[in-house]
Amino acid sequence: MKKILVANRGEIALRVMRTAKKMGIKTVAVFSEADRNSPHVTFADEAVCIGPAPSNQSYLLGDKIIEVAKELDVDGIHPGYGFLSENAAFGEAVAKSGIVFIGPKTHAIEVMGSKLAAKDAVKAYDIPMVPGIDEAVTDVEYASKVANEIGYPILIKASAGGGGKGMRVVEKEADIKEQMQRAISEAESAFGDGSVFIEKYVGSPRHIEIQVLADAHGNVVHLFERECSVQRRHQKVVEEAPSSVLTPEIREAMGAAAVRVAKACDYLGAGTVEFLLDENKNFYFLEMNTRLQVEHPVTELITGVDLVEQQIKIARGEELSFTQDDLQIKGHALELRVYAEDPLNNFAPSIGVLETYQHPEGENIRVDDGFEEGMEIPIYYDPMISKLITYGNTREEAIELMKQAISNYKVKGIETTLSFGKFVCEHEAFTSGNFDTHFVKKYYTPELLEAEYEKEAKIAAQVALQQYLKEQRILKTC
């Protein structure tokens, strides 16, 4: 594999290209008109504009991307995450064109792309499941019967869902009709598929995911877990590895279950199996993401394994060079997704120009980004600016370094989630490890963050005053 096209943009495109360059592989960037001056475009060996800014006129044009790849004699296409990364038809089209798709086979993408199909696929593999029904349901009376059997509260979920869309918590039978109609309507609008199913609502869950790697020679390993429970609107904001609550026994059991899930769909490449962990440390299969995750760097830091490098090697037909026994957890890593969002305004998107953009540097600090000072944050794509990752020998070290890194991250012109990240890292619930997916709902309000701003402003004013008085005293003695 001598040349790879990265069918993505921003930080993930740049991150994939850096590993490709390290491996001696040339890279091709595709870009929209809005991204013409982006770092991933200038970093690549070759770059081709594929259309206007809207993603449905550029980054989602699979046929156009394949056409560019063929014209430039590309050997493989890496989809990154988002856009076409979990599009089975695109993966199939890439393979049929004679180019290697650096990802799983079509079957795995299709099966794991549907929560119902995924549940059905892993049935025979002894995977713990949340009580509920594993079939699509639209009949309210039948839904009420099932809900009464498993007990309220229940969760209505879109089969094709993600990001919290088509998802409704129902506390009592009187609400089920209205909430089902809302979930079905939202699922149809978001995914073109109104299929929903019902399962028991796990009240205080933690979101734990297991990274897996599988080659074409029957080898499957897991690279331990990531804790992804700090979320806003069902979207992850802070992730870490390993989890602070898993015992070695639970870790081993979850890892083994994740490997079985991968085997259930004949998986190939890097993937992530997601679980819910309840307050009694029982874990339940949630879904599988058939791509590289946004939060993959924390796994890389605690294992020393470059996941993109492994994806490329597996796509080339190579056998994994290590076994499960070779892998071990070393240290602790923490990641903050730095979004162009205003945490004081319900995390609303904050669009504008990066008038100042200086990211922190130093030992055990990693910043994966795709922006530079002076660039504009486009309205057409996900508002994530970067991923700020810190590493320490202990969880406490990683958290302390994250707080320092946040303080040294200088951004002006837009609002970001940096202040929210600091709020999380300083909160007792997080530092103690005693938190779940309701962290934001339980502990965060804009007023608390504003109070923190005022406190910091007062401290800064006091420091400035002390410095001024000190300078005056020095002047008087001269």
Side-chain angles (χ1 to χ4, degrees), residues 209-407:
E209 61 188 30
I210 306 287
Q211 176 71 57
V212 296
L213 283 173
D215 65 22
H217 305 275
N219 302 304
V220 186
V221 299
H222 70 83
L223 290 88
F224 313 109
E225 80 280 2
R226 295 186 289 258
E227 169 84 60
C228 307
S229 297
V230 179
Q231 307 175 1
R232 51 98 179 92
R233 297 195 296 273
H234 300 285
Q235 292 281 4
K236 304 162 190 173
V237 186
V238 176
E239 298 110 341
E240 61 182 306
S243 168
S244 62
V245 296
L246 293 197
T247 63
E249 293 76 20
I250 297 174
R251 176 174 294 116
E252 185 177 349
M254 291 183 82
V259 167
R260 294 198 299 274
V261 170
K263 290 180 176 179
C265 64
D266 192 24
Y267 200 75
L268 182 72
T272 298
V273 183
E274 305 202 351
F275 296 95
L276 289 181
L277 184 77
D278 70 17
E279 59 268 31
N280 298 314
K281 303 291 193 300
N282 299 306
F283 65 89
Y284 307 100
F285 172 66
L286 186 61
E287 63 183 339
M288 183 177 192
N289 288 309
T290 56
R291 54 171 169 78
L292 196 66
Q293 293 280 88
V294 174
E295 57 274 19
H296 74 272
V298 293
T299 296
E300 294 183 324
L301 289 176
I302 66 162
T303 62
V305 175
D306 183 326
L307 291 173
V308 173
E309 181 180 5
Q310 294 304 315
Q311 284 185 299
I312 294 170
K313 286 183 173 181
I314 289 168
R316 293 195 304 206
E318 295 181 28
E319 191 170 355
L320 288 175
S321 61
F322 48 84
T323 66
Q324 190 66 59
D325 291 338
D326 294 325
L327 295 165
Q328 60 180 345
I329 297 171
K330 185 178 180 182
H332 199 98
L334 196 65
E335 175 179 296
L336 169 65
R337 300 190 190 188
V338 183
Y339 285 104
E341 294 178 342
D342 185 357
L344 295 181
N345 186 24
N346 196 30
F347 297 97
S350 178
I351 306 303
V353 175
L354 292 169
E355 297 169 5
T356 298
Y357 183 73
Q358 299 166 10
H359 61 68
E361 296 178 348
E363 187 178 2
N364 294 329
I365 295 174
R366 169 175 165 177
V367 179
D368 286 11
D369 63 3
F371 287 93
E372 295 174 343
E373 192 168 274
M375 289 180 64
E376 186 174 358
I377 304 296
I379 63 172
Y380 307 99
Y381 316 115
D382 182 272
M384 190 172 72
I385 300 171
S386 71
K387 300 180 307 198
L388 175 60
I389 309 110
T390 57
Y391 173 83
N393 292 319
T394 64
R395 184 171 187 263
E396 291 73 22
E397 279 186 26
I399 291 173
E400 285 303 310
L401 187 56
M402 176 61 76
K403 290 191 288 189
Q404 293 175 33
I406 290 171
S407 296

Side-chain angles (χ1 to χ4, degrees), residues 25 34 126 132 146 183 192 218 280 316 360 376 388 420 425 469 471:
I25 300 171
D126 191 29
V146 170
N280 298 314
R316 293 195 304 206
E376 186 174 358
L388 175 60
F420 173 74
C425 288
L469 294 174
E471 290 173 355

